[in-house]
Amino acid sequence: MRTLRYQRPEGVEAAVSAVNATPGARYLGGGTNLVDLMKLGVETPDLLVDVSGLPHHDIEELPGGGVRIGAAVRNSDLAADPLVRTRYPVVSQALLAGASDQLRNVATVGGNLLQRTRCLYFQDAGKPCNKRAPGTGCPAIEGVHRNLAILGASPHCVATHPSDLAVALAALDAQVLVEGGTGPREIPLTELHRLPGDRPERDTVLEHGDLITHVRLPAAPEAVNSAYRKARDRASFAFALSSVGAALEVRDGLVHRVRLALGGVAPKPWRARAAEERLRGAPATPEAFTRAVEAELSVAEPLRDNAFKVPLTRHLAVRVLCDLAGRAGGPR
Amino acid sequence: MDILRTPTDLAQRGHGGVGESASRPDGVLKVTGEFAYASDLWARDMLWGHTLRSPHAHAEIVSVDTTEALSVPGVHAVLTHADLPAATHYGLEIPDQPVLAGDVVRYHGEPVALVAADHPETARRAAARIRVEYAELPLVTDESTATAPGAPVLHPNRSDHYADRVPHPNVVHHQPVRRGDLAAAKARAEVVVTGEYELGMQDQAPLGPESGLAVPAEDGGVDLYVATQWLHVDREQLAPVLGLPRELVRLTLSGVGGAFGAREDLSMQAHACLLALRTGRPVKMVYSRDESFVGHVHRHPARLRYEHGATRDGRLVYVRGRIVLDGGAYASSSPAVVGNAASLGLGPYVCDTVDIEALALYTNNPPCGAMRGFGAVQACFAYESQMDRLAAELGMDPVSLRQLNAMSQGATMPTGQPVDAPAPVAELLRLVRDRPLPPPRQWETAVGTGTGFDLRALPGGLSNTTRGEGVVRGVGYAVGIKNVGFSEGYDDYSTARVRLEVVNGEPVVLVHTAMAEVGQGGVTVQAQIARTELGVAKVVLHPADTRVGSAGSTSASRQTYMTGGAVRNTCLLVREEVLRLGRERLGDTHPGWRGDGLWLRDGAVVTAGGEVLADLAQVLGDDVIDLEREFRHRPTEPLDPENGQGFGHVQYSFCAHRAVVEVDAELGLVKVVELAAAQDVGRAMNPQAVVGQIHGGSVQGLGLAVMEEIVVADGARVRNPSFTDYLIPTILDTPTMPVDVLELADEHAPYGLRGIGEAPTLSSTPAVVAAIRAATGLALRRVPVRPEHLTGT
């Protein structure tokens, strides 16, 4: 019989050293993903270190206009925060597009970033999966994959990252503050998650024992004009087939600042840098938006049953940009 | 008997009689979370059962070793096929399903072994230590693999009564319905449309998982508390498996968290009883959500090919159809599903020449059986899609074409059966068509957001995918026909026991039936009937159990008709007894006792004119009237195996829908903004419950149209056994649903009522898909329709 230990340390140091000392340890936040995976036998931790009691519950305004968010902040609290809603509406919208009220009341910011893929094969401990059991193969490539990646996948894994929040944070160049026992460090959110390559078992660059303590949103004046949109199989309570987080500032009809990230289409929140590059200085027109997004998606490699995601994502991204361009002159 | 038809008098109205929206006795408990479901059952010293299931869809069982599992501390019993005490197979109609798999497993998730332990986790972990060696066998997954030369025969040596007439042993049942001269009709047809259609596998998705508690009794029998749809048919299957006479197998209904057909077959019943009898301890079993998805049958997926011939002015000349249903590994209710699909495969239309055949396959896919509207749902999607194609081909309005061909009372079914009750098909279509359409661009006028903008009225909903750009509206119609009650010669009956006595001066009625209340509101209606017929305010419902005679199944839209009919008839006999006693004891006190038309109202015997003769307390004294009687609907007959002719059905039920959708064709997202229904219910026994049934059926049909599908892949395995991955409509996916109710009495039925539960599930799906087709111009031959089917990639 498997036994499982549970700890609820008082401080960050104690939490980190507890996990560092136990190879099979996991941090526990809201548990909305980890506990599900434990029930499925996908995660089999020996030790759960509950970090929800650590002092990471605050949303603080930083000098210079940024915001620092504690990793234990609940999704619902973050979505409702007035500072976040006014300065970074894309974050609030992304959170509200995910899960249900009940889940958002429990799920934490740190846990949201580290949730695992909804790929059916990853969730099924009885099936091969390179992400769950390295070297066993990827049945999704020939199997059920309509919801999986069109960008950034590898012959070893075609999973998508399920987070909505992470897409918004990727667009905003958020920094992830990590404590790993050797002092705090910052990782750009766009570099937190890995592409699978030949090591799909590693979702992120974090090492065992690394604890996300905060997420820092840098000042981004254009984020006032930002939005998140998500296409899914029903109106609520479903993961993204495709999603777009974007911020846009237009001056004299030209794109001055733009931030664009895609979700539900890649193993990580997909910062659309190629599209952004094309857009800077370009006219803020539907045609220019379309060309830019097409450039981003030109590297897409859809599978047998998910080619629909390419035009879906293009339409969605162009719409968000058009919408933001329409509003750029002021509130409607 | 006219006096029976006065239930709407004011005194009764206040008490919740027939025709009123009496509130549900279980309603408050359910919405406050206090209602005890079967998963809440508990007994002192109970053990927990767990089922070890096959990881393969088709395999030979080479060996089973339970040694390690038995050595786990806390384990009290491990059972395999070798431990079965008596009959080794069961089944609703054909006993082809092993209680525990013996030499072979035929579907992914088939029960192989059982464990009873002192904790559910102990049981689960011990089950994981049972060593089963399998040798995988080739899979049969569809018609071509099932009937290919050399295909594995899944059930060799069949002895069921369909075995001799099926074209292949992997066909469970095959039913042709043929009428008219096809060759002559083909020559007359001026326009012909053909189409092929497909429906994915829908799940009933009851919120309550399969669960029950088996308690061994001192007399060697067992008491089973269980969430089921038919206590007595469970018992009929259990007794031989347990090797007990049926009177030692006693069942009591526990709280049922939805059924929709999923609880017609046995799931954990036999397993829990076997473990309880083996261990001498109460055994509880509750399926987890993912286990529930493999632990009950699903709606038959289907492939259908139709050919409709018509004259240039739109009259149907002939209809041909071939309906292939995937029954999965075991027969379950496949024969009845086939019978419905074939006999109702024309739809609610008149056509003299019909050639329809339906068949169900044995495959290694998950077993399929009962689900709301079975057989008729699959056919309705295809024939209604065909009617739209025919209308387009003729350049006719699709509603007009349907009305032109609509059946009405006096029509003849393709089975030759006369339609001898109202069949207001054209009128139902008119009702939904004549409703004003919801305003265009409703999202701009919707109130409450302060922005003049309501995302909820748009495709994508709160996902914020559009502000109206690229959104196209479509409107679609459909109408369907469903049989009510058990058909094809089945001796279908229900039983009610009614007891009348006076307690503390107040007359009290006890109604005792074995009807499974699965959420449909049958308990509400039973009390309404008793109040109306016996004029007694206080009605107590006895828990449903096998101490009373069978109520039949809570399925086939039949319980208000059948158990409602049984309660009514037994109440009438109780009333006769009251009047007999009254005349005997008090006949000399008032001349009114000698008159006709005496009835009961407000706890008293009254004359036809309403004069009170005596209180029930005076009449009864300390006597108790306690009667139990059976009620039968009129007999039906089997369909002829060659041509499907026969008086096969008890009653028909009709519903029409108009769906209004907004489609975001670029993103492939659909918002059903309104789903209007019109249904003839014969008599609205409880108007609020009627509307609730129509709403529920409509949404279940909407789910099949745009999202619900069990994904079977990777070797015939269910790939999405969770409510995260098997999507059912949320309230945000649920449209406005205006309802028109007709009450055209069926003189054959109690109160003239018509079974209502299933018909709204039929036409909802094709109406929604027709609306999407109207918006997009796409053919859309398969449901559910998903974004990728609309974006053209």
Side-chain angles (χ1 to χ4, degrees):
Chain A
M1 186 176 293
R2 280 194 68 85
T3 54
L4 171 71
R5 288 182 299 132
Y6 170 89
Q7 290 177 9
R8 191 177 164 88
E10 295 287 316
V12 174
E13 209 173 303
V16 170
S17 56
V19 171
N20 266 330
T22 311
R26 292 281 186 280
Y27 292 115
L28 176 71
T32 55
N33 185 232
L34 178 60
V35 174
D36 276 359
L37 294 173
M38 288 167 63
K39 287 181 184 168
L40 293 169
V42 173
E43 288 278 3
T44 51
D46 303 313
L47 169 66
L48 288 181
V49 176
D50 185 342
V51 292
S52 61
L54 299 183
H56 303 139
H57 292 277
D58 295 328
I59 302 169
E60 305 158 82
E61 185 170 10
L62 299 172
V67 171
R68 195 176 79 150
I69 304 158
V73 169
R74 306 294 174 178
N75 283 353
S76 46
D77 292 333
L78 182 59
D81 184 78
L83 209 56
V84 171
R85 284 169 59 104
T86 48
R87 290 192 192 167
Y88 309 99
V90 63
V91 171
S92 184
Q93 290 176 19
L95 285 163
L96 294 176
S100 62
D101 279 328
Q102 292 87 339
L103 286 170
R104 291 195 295 267
N105 284 341
V106 178
T108 63
V109 167
N112 184 298
L113 299 182
L114 298 183
Q115 62 184 305
R116 312 297 306 272
T117 182
R118 279 307 301 185
C119 175
L120 297 177
Y121 302 94
F122 176 76
Q123 304 269 331
D124 182 349
K127 297 295 283 187
C129 168
N130 287 327
K131 188 181 275 301
R132 179 173 30 75
T136 54
C138 177
I141 292 170
E142 294 298 322
V144 180
H145 59 229
R146 66 180 283 276
N147 58 331
L148 300 183
I150 55 171
L151 291 164
S154 82
H156 303 282
C157 182
V158 293
T160 44
H161 195 263
S163 170
D164 293 298
L165 172 64
V167 178
L169 297 182
L172 295 171
D173 284 315
Q175 298 286 317
V176 180
L177 281 65
V178 175
E179 183 67 65
T182 56
R185 64 188 201 276
E186 279 201 353
I187 302 170
L189 187 124
T190 51
E191 293 168 25
L192 175 68
H193 301 93
R194 295 178 67 256
L195 292 181
D198 57 2
R199 297 284 309 278
E201 71 276 15
R202 293 200 61 192
D203 286 4
T204 70
V205 298
L206 298 181
E207 299 294 335
H208 183 72
D210 280 346
L211 172 69
I212 297 178
T213 60
H214 299 86
V215 171
R216 187 171 62 80
L217 288 175
E222 68 277 17
V224 173
N225 187 45
S226 66
Y228 186 80
R229 291 191 186 187
K230 174 177 176 181
R232 45 184 159 175
D233 282 318
R234 68 178 168 191
S236 188
F237 305 170
F239 288 93
L241 293 169
S242 175
S243 69
V244 175
L248 183 69
E249 183 179 335
V250 178
R251 287 191 185 170
D252 304 325
L254 301 179
V255 173
H256 182 63
R257 292 195 174 99
V258 62
R259 297 169 172 279
L260 185 66
L262 310 176
V265 289
K268 59 183 286 185
W270 190 264
R271 181 72 179 265
R273 294 198 191 276
E276 290 179 3
E277 198 58 40
R278 283 188 166 238
L279 281 173
R280 281 192 197 98
T285 62
E287 296 72 26
F289 295 151
T290 304
R291 281 195 299 276
V293 176
E294 278 175 348
E296 187 70 46
L297 294 171
S298 65
V299 295
E301 293 183 58
L303 302 161
R304 182 192 66 231
D305 293 333
N306 70 359
F308 72 101
K309 284 190 168 191
V310 178
L312 177 62
T313 306
R314 183 180 71 238
H315 287 304
L316 201 57
V318 170
R319 281 189 192 177
V320 176
L321 292 168
C322 286
D323 194 32
L324 293 172
R327 279 192 294 178
R332 298 206 290 199
Chain B
M1 296 292 273
D2 272 349
I3 208 157
L4 300 177
R5 300 185 181 278
T6 57
T8 51
D9 92 282
L10 289 173
Q12 285 295 344
R13 186 170 290 280
H15 296 137
V18 166
E20 298 169 48
S21 291
S23 46
R24 303 176 60 110
D26 53 352
V28 171
L29 292 173
K30 282 180 173 170
V31 298
T32 55
E34 291 174 89
F35 185 83
Y37 289 96
S39 49
D40 300 316
L41 287 162
W42 185 87
R44 192 197 301 267
D45 295 333
M46 74 183 184
L47 302 173
W48 295 78
H50 187 86
T51 314
L52 178 71
R53 295 175 180 276
S54 166
H56 304 293
H58 196 199
E60 186 188 333
I61 297 181
V62 179
S63 64
V64 182
D65 181 355
T66 61
T67 319
E68 218 182 310
L70 278 164
S71 70
V72 173
V75 168
H76 288 248
V78 178
L79 300 182
T80 69
H81 187 84
D83 302 307
L84 297 175
T88 57
H89 289 68
Y90 61 79
L92 270 179
E93 195 175 340
I94 302 171
D96 63 352
Q97 184 150 4
V99 179
L100 293 167
D103 300 338
V104 64
V105 288
R106 295 182 182 84
Y107 74 97
H108 171 238
E110 178 159 356
V112 174
L114 303 168
V115 178
D118 55 8
H119 189 279
E121 275 301 292
T122 307
R124 189 178 67 79
R125 288 167 184 164
R129 295 196 182 191
I130 299 171
R131 304 280 167 236
V132 185
E133 192 185 335
Y134 297 96
E136 287 196 68
L137 297 167
L139 291 178
V140 168
T141 56
D142 56 18
E143 187 177 18
S144 61
T145 52
T147 59
V153 173
L154 296 185
H155 296 272
N157 311 316
R158 282 174 61 180
S159 60
D160 59 88
H161 75 277
Y162 305 101
D164 293 340
R165 353 170 174 145
V166 291
H168 188 283
N170 282 338
V171 173
V172 185
H173 176 40
H174 170 259
Q175 178 66 62
V177 172
R178 297 202 175 95
R179 191 167 181 83
D181 181 343
L182 185 64
K186 288 187 92 156
R188 279 207 317 283
E190 294 166 316
V191 178
V192 174
V193 293
T194 60
E196 294 186 15
Y197 304 92
E198 191 178 339
L199 296 93
M201 184 185 288
Q202 190 181 19
D203 192 75
Q204 302 88 346
L207 296 187
E210 290 71 11
S211 38
L213 174 70
V215 183
E218 284 183 2
D219 61 4
V222 63
D223 290 276
L224 176 65
Y225 302 83
V226 67
T228 183
Q229 289 181 238
W230 186 358
L231 293 165
H232 286 75
V233 85
D234 284 5
R235 182 169 73 167
E236 289 304 306
Q237 295 172 88
L238 287 171
V241 167
L242 303 176
L244 291 173
R246 72 167 72 111
E247 57 273 18
L248 290 186
V249 182
R250 295 165 294 253
L251 279 74
T252 301
L253 187 72
S254 187
V256 184
F260 314 105
R263 300 183 204 272
E264 282 195 32
D265 293 81
L266 294 184
S267 57
M268 46 57 64
Q269 286 92 325
H271 300 157
C273 290
L274 287 165
L275 289 171
L277 290 168
R278 169 64 76 98
T279 60
R281 297 266 293 269
V283 174
K284 176 172 175 174
M285 294 185 84
V286 184
Y287 287 180
S288 62
R289 178 61 58 197
D290 59 326
E291 187 176 19
S292 174
F293 269 100
V294 297
H296 63 246
V297 299
H298 312 289
R299 186 188 295 294
H300 289 68
R303 291 176 186 219
L304 308 93
R305 185 179 186 284
Y306 267 81
E307 179 180 323
H308 280 59
T311 59
R312 185 55 66 190
D313 62 2
R315 295 220 174 254
L316 288 176
V317 176
Y318 74 92
V319 175
R320 296 183 72 186
R322 186 165 190 277
I323 301 168
V324 179
L325 303 146
D326 183 353
Y330 295 103
S332 180
S333 45
S334 278
V337 178
V338 167
N340 282 1
S343 60
L344 305 171
L346 169 63
Y349 302 112
V350 175
C351 182
D352 294 335
T353 305
V354 174
D355 182 357
I356 291 172
E357 66 167 328
L359 60 92
L361 301 165
Y362 275 128
T363 68
N364 294 117
N365 288 322
C368 289
M371 183 176 172
R372 200 174 195 171
F374 69 39
V377 160
Q378 291 90 337
C380 187
F381 173 62
Y383 63 67
E384 285 300 87
S385 299
Q386 281 287 98
M387 292 303 277
D388 283 336
R389 286 174 59 83
L390 183 59
E393 188 71 25
L394 292 165
M396 280 183 76
D397 169 66
V399 174
S400 303
L401 175 71
R402 286 176 170 85
Q403 289 176 318
L404 180 68
N405 291 286
M407 69 161 56
S408 54
Q409 186 164 4
T412 303
M413 293 291 291
T415 56
Q417 181 172 10
V419 178
D420 57 3
V425 176
E427 172 67 2
L428 295 173
L429 285 161
R430 186 192 68 74
L431 285 167
V432 292
R433 186 194 58 199
D434 287 356
R435 276 192 174 276
L437 284 165
R441 301 184 70 80
Q442 209 172 2
W443 56 90
E444 292 175 346
T445 53
V447 291
T449 61
T451 58
F453 206 85
D454 189 349
L455 287 171
R456 292 172 301 179
L458 281 164
L462 297 182
S463 306
N464 200 17
T465 49
T466 176
R467 299 302 179 94
E469 60 268 38
V471 173
V472 187
R473 171 172 281 193
V475 179
Y477 295 88
V479 61
I481 175 172
K482 178 68 185 59
N483 58 318
V484 173
F486 279 29
S487 300
E488 299 185 46
Y490 191 86
D491 179 25
D492 191 11
Y493 69 96
S494 180
T495 314
R497 178 183 152 228
V498 176
R499 174 186 169 100
L500 174 64
E501 64 189 310
V502 176
V503 180
N504 292 332
E506 186 190 8
V508 178
V509 176
L510 176 81
V511 177
H512 185 185
T513 78
M515 181 205 71
E517 170 61 50
V518 303
Q520 83 276 24
V523 289
T524 322
V525 172
Q526 286 183 20
Q528 289 178 259
I529 291 171
R531 284 189 204 108
T532 293
E533 302 303 348
L534 294 176
V536 168
K538 183 158 187 181
V539 177
V540 177
L541 296 170
H542 193 285
D545 57 28
T546 49
R547 286 193 282 170
V548 68
S550 173
S553 181
T554 300
S555 62
S557 306
R558 66 180 282 290
Q559 279 297 18
T560 300
Y561 190 132
M562 297 303 296
T563 299
V567 171
R568 174 177 181 267
N569 278 13
T570 309
C571 283
L572 295 184
L573 294 172
V574 168
R575 187 175 69 186
E576 276 179 26
E577 181 63 11
V578 169
L579 298 179
R580 191 190 65 76
L581 283 174
R583 289 190 179 104
E584 183 181 295
R585 294 171 179 178
L586 305 167
D588 300 336
T589 59
H590 191 290
W593 281 107
R594 290 190 290 278
D596 288 335
L598 300 189
W599 55 302
L600 307 185
R601 188 186 72 187
D602 293 343
V605 180
V606 298
T607 65
E611 186 185 354
V612 174
L613 295 180
D615 285 344
L616 287 176
Q618 280 176 274
V619 176
L620 288 177
D622 292 333
D623 285 344
V624 174
I625 301 173
D626 193 333
L627 299 176
E628 178 177 328
R629 292 289 185 276
E630 288 177 357
F631 170 80
R632 283 176 163 71
H633 59 62
R634 56 180 172 162
T636 59
E637 51 187 45
L639 302 178
D640 182 277
E642 299 301 323
N643 59 23
Q645 298 300 295
F647 194 96
H649 295 308
V650 182
Q651 185 185 55
Y652 297 106
S653 179
F654 306 92
C655 184
H657 278 95
R658 182 188 71 192
V660 181
V661 303
E662 307 283 4
V663 180
D664 182 338
E666 282 182 352
L667 304 187
L669 302 181
V670 174
K671 168 68 184 177
V672 183
V673 293
E674 190 195 83
L675 188 54
Q679 185 167 342
D680 176 22
V681 305
R683 175 75 192 273
M685 300 290 285
N686 182 319
Q688 189 178 35
V690 165
V691 170
Q693 283 288 334
I694 295 172
H695 280 171
S698 299
V699 176
Q700 211 153 20
L702 182 158
L704 176 58
V706 294
M707 65 182 80
E708 292 190 38
E709 183 173 8
I710 296 263
V711 177
V712 180
D714 306 321
R717 290 170 171 86
V718 174
R719 302 309 297 158
N720 54 343
S722 76
F723 282 150
T724 306
D725 298 311
Y726 180 85
L727 301 186
I728 56 177
T730 70
I731 195 66
L732 287 175
D733 302 285
T734 303
T736 306
M737 292 185 288
V739 172
D740 280 303
V741 170
L742 291 183
E743 295 186 78
L744 307 180
D746 176 352
E747 63 178 27
H748 308 97
Y751 302 104
L753 72 82
R754 220 180 265 278
I756 57 168
E758 294 173 289
T761 317
L762 274 56
S763 43
S764 167
T765 307
V768 169
V769 176
I772 303 172
R773 289 189 191 112
T776 61
L778 298 169
L780 304 178
R781 306 296 183 84
R782 186 183 195 283
V783 286
V785 175
R786 288 244 168 79
E788 56 265 45
H789 306 131
L790 300 181
T791 53
T793 50

